Amino acid sequence: MESAADKLAEVQSNIARMCKPARREPEDVKLIAVSKTHPAERIIPLLEAGHRVFGENRVQEAQGKWFQLLEAHPDVELHLIGQLQSNKAEEAVELFDVIHSLDRPSLLKALAKAMDKAGRRVPCFVQVNIGDEEQKGGCPIAEVPAFLAKVREANIPLAGLMCLPPSGIEPAPFFALLAKLAQDNGAEGLSMGMSGDYETAVQLGSTHVRVGTALFGARGS
Ligand SMILES: *Cc1c(COP(=O)(O)O)cnc(C)c1O
């Protein structure tokens, strides 16, 4: 069986390979190891291999695992990649270094308030509902410019735009659309690409890939 370090090296080398034709530098693509559902024992080998950037999608689950892991590895950068309820904003601001799911005015208000209270500004990606899917979170495309203005007004550091393209169809057009939206609206970062499509996302300008399965294996097994 491949070790965690082997898988990490493989994903990193795939990222580097896709950077080349796109004339990008591998250092400009941050690999977020998505450790959701995996226990600390599965995370420790990646920490031991030197990896320091991790993603979780639930505040409570992350608290349970990471308070202890962070004691041993205070230099870890923790990203919240999942939908966030406004009533969890304070806890999210305390624990996470970057939030990828800012997508609505009520959450913006709650996060701004939590950041004021904590005296800590946490950079946020604005999640965009790039496939216009009813069941998915994310700011509607047409509302992105106005929402970004609100984010800036609230003094929340804008990390960039994030998307989860519709499943089952070619993701490239959605990644390209997110990149265009970011460019048109002066947003720098692009959080896009998961295990199945991070190589395509890197070609199209992703600065943050969120990779779980390719590093940890399937969830729930
Ligand atoms: C779970 C998750 C990922 C990682 O998915 P994999 O296919 O396991 O790489 C990425 N982004 C978000 C928002 C997720 O919820």
Side-chain angles (χ1 to χ4, degrees):
M1 226 183 89
E2 257 185 319
S3 72
D6 289 342
K7 286 182 178 158
L8 179 65
E10 195 177 314
V11 172
Q12 278 167 336
S13 95
N14 287 338
I15 290 172
R17 186 166 45 79
M18 298 319 278
C19 278
K20 214 165 192 190
R23 295 167 192 265
R24 305 190 59 210
E25 297 299 326
E27 306 83 75
D28 296 336
V29 182
K30 191 165 266 193
L31 171 58
I32 302 170
V34 177
S35 49
K36 68 185 186 196
T37 76
H38 298 296
E41 305 89 82
R42 301 287 301 278
I43 298 172
I44 288 166
L46 273 191
L47 286 166
E48 283 173 350
H51 197 69
R52 288 295 178 268
V53 186
F54 290 84
E56 292 282 346
N57 72 335
R58 284 170 203 267
V59 175
Q60 230 168 351
E61 180 191 338
Q63 287 171 329
K65 286 190 285 193
W66 283 98
F67 277 144
Q68 252 187 339
L69 289 170
L70 284 168
E71 263 177 44
H73 302 279
D75 56 339
V76 160
E77 187 180 295
L78 214 50
H79 292 244
L80 178 64
I81 59 167
Q83 279 209 1
L84 177 60
Q85 290 172 333
S86 296
N87 63 6
K88 296 268 169 65
E90 273 191 33
E91 289 165 282
V93 163
E94 265 171 43
L95 180 61
F96 290 95
D97 299 295
V98 184
I99 293 170
H100 290 242
S101 47
L102 173 51
D103 64 352
R104 57 194 191 277
S106 55
L107 180 59
L108 184 149
K109 256 191 207 162
L111 282 171
K113 199 172 150 203
M115 289 182 204
D116 288 342
K117 189 173 169 193
R120 164 180 161 84
R121 310 312 289 180
V122 178
C124 292
F125 284 88
V126 165
Q127 182 173 351
V128 180
N129 189 348
I130 204 74
D132 195 20
E133 295 174 284
E134 233 167 69
Q135 76 280 14
K136 257 189 202 155
C139 178
I141 290 172
E143 291 169 24
V144 166
F147 191 59
L148 291 182
K150 282 196 181 121
V151 172
R152 291 177 169 124
E153 223 169 88
N155 207 13
I156 294 179
L158 179 67
L161 301 184
M162 178 272 204
C163 77
L164 270 167
S167 55
I169 51 172
E170 170 59 39
F174 298 100
F175 292 153
L177 179 56
L178 193 74
K180 172 81 165 60
L181 271 176
Q183 196 176 30
D184 290 351
N185 290 283
E188 272 192 24
L190 285 171
S191 170
M192 55 188 203
M194 314 184 4
S195 291
D197 55 21
Y198 68 91
E199 289 159 298
T200 305
V202 167
Q203 273 186 306
L204 291 167
S206 174
T207 61
H208 292 67
V209 292
R210 311 176 308 263
V211 177
T213 308
L215 293 172
F216 293 99
R219 284 179 289 276
S221 67

